[in-house]
Amino acid sequence: DYDLRLARQIQRNLLPREPPKVSGLDFAVHYEPAFHVGGDFYDFLWRDQQQLSIVVGDVSGKAISGALFMARVTSEIRFAAPVESHPRRIIQRVNRALSEVAEDGMFVTMVFLSLDLTQQVLRFSNAGHTTPLLLRGGRVTPLEYAEARCLPVGVEARVEVAEAQVKLLPGDVLVLYTDGIVEARSMAGEFYGVERLHG
């Protein structure tokens, strides 16, 4: 269907064309919606030359409804990111904007991270999203911090958001993902699951 193919291309154009090039860091991304279009998104945003923000999110709803709301979400994030330095404040700001326009049942999970390239410190807040994974020395550690977790964006007009931080070391691998990975099924109907992702 031509309209769906066009919608898919428009949505692809809302995502970064390529990851940023940063000395000492390597980025890899893969984006594949379950339908022609969907609600998953990611972005890289520079606050200044030493602070890079990364966001990965998932809009409730599939296909066209999810894609339309995803476009609004990414525009709100891009508006807030250059003027706020903390992930928690960006989530609060985006939440205020989206709670005014979200239809009943529409919400967004997201993890927003801010990387200080000088100190190699990662600050992050998690609004109901899947837990980032840190691979260090052959061991996978879920970055699950209660103080960094809050309700998904758009559920309530006012939401308390905090953040956590972790020092990154040479050789660390950080994995950000949406639930589409762990909920993928084999031909036999078996879920991929979090355990396989950890392995």
Side-chain angles (χ1 to χ4, degrees):
D1 183 275
Y2 174 76
D3 287 340
L4 281 176
R5 289 200 306 271
L6 182 60
R8 181 185 178 101
Q9 187 57 47
I10 291 171
Q11 185 178 43
R12 291 272 185 177
N13 290 340
L14 292 172
L15 301 172
R17 292 189 179 275
E18 59 183 30
K21 293 179 172 58
V22 181
S23 177
L25 295 176
D26 292 315
F27 295 93
V29 299
H30 180 75
Y31 182 85
E32 190 66 43
F35 303 98
H36 282 282
V37 290
D40 291 358
F41 64 92
Y42 66 93
D43 211 347
F44 300 96
L45 305 149
W46 289 99
R47 175 170 168 77
D48 55 47
Q49 291 183 332
Q50 296 304 319
Q51 187 166 302
L52 173 64
S53 294
I54 305 162
V55 59
V56 173
D58 184 5
V59 174
S60 66
K62 302 296 182 186
I64 297 295
S65 63
L68 289 173
F69 199 46
M70 170 266 200
R72 178 62 186 265
V73 171
T74 54
S75 68
E76 292 291 347
I77 291 171
R78 289 172 181 172
F79 181 75
V83 296
E84 298 286 3
S85 59
H86 291 276
R88 61 184 176 83
R89 291 180 182 161
I90 292 167
I91 288 179
Q92 284 175 322
R93 189 167 179 149
V94 172
N95 182 72
R96 282 196 301 270
L98 293 179
S99 61
E100 297 174 0
V101 300
E103 297 292 332
D104 288 344
M106 294 292 285
F107 62 88
V108 187
T109 69
M110 72 172 77
V111 58
F112 196 99
L113 309 96
S114 179
L115 175 60
D116 184 318
L117 297 174
T118 303
Q119 301 180 18
Q120 296 297 307
V121 170
L122 188 71
R123 295 197 313 271
F124 63 95
S125 296
N126 188 333
H129 197 68
T130 53
T131 303
L133 303 175
L134 178 65
L135 173 62
R136 175 178 291 171
R139 180 178 178 183
V140 175
T141 302
L143 296 185
E144 182 63 78
Y145 295 86
E147 67 271 22
R149 188 168 277 276
C150 67
L151 288 173
V153 169
V155 173
E156 295 181 1
R158 298 180 64 85
V159 61
E160 291 297 321
V161 186
E163 61 190 40
Q165 70 176 41
V166 61
K167 174 82 171 178
L168 295 182
L169 303 177
D172 283 354
V173 176
L174 182 67
V175 179
L176 308 173
Y177 60 100
T178 65
D179 58 12
I181 293 218
V182 296
E183 292 177 0
R185 293 185 187 224
S186 68
M187 295 295 287
E190 183 182 3
F191 284 110
Y192 185 76
V194 176
E195 292 78 13
R196 281 194 178 97
L197 187 61
H198 282 209

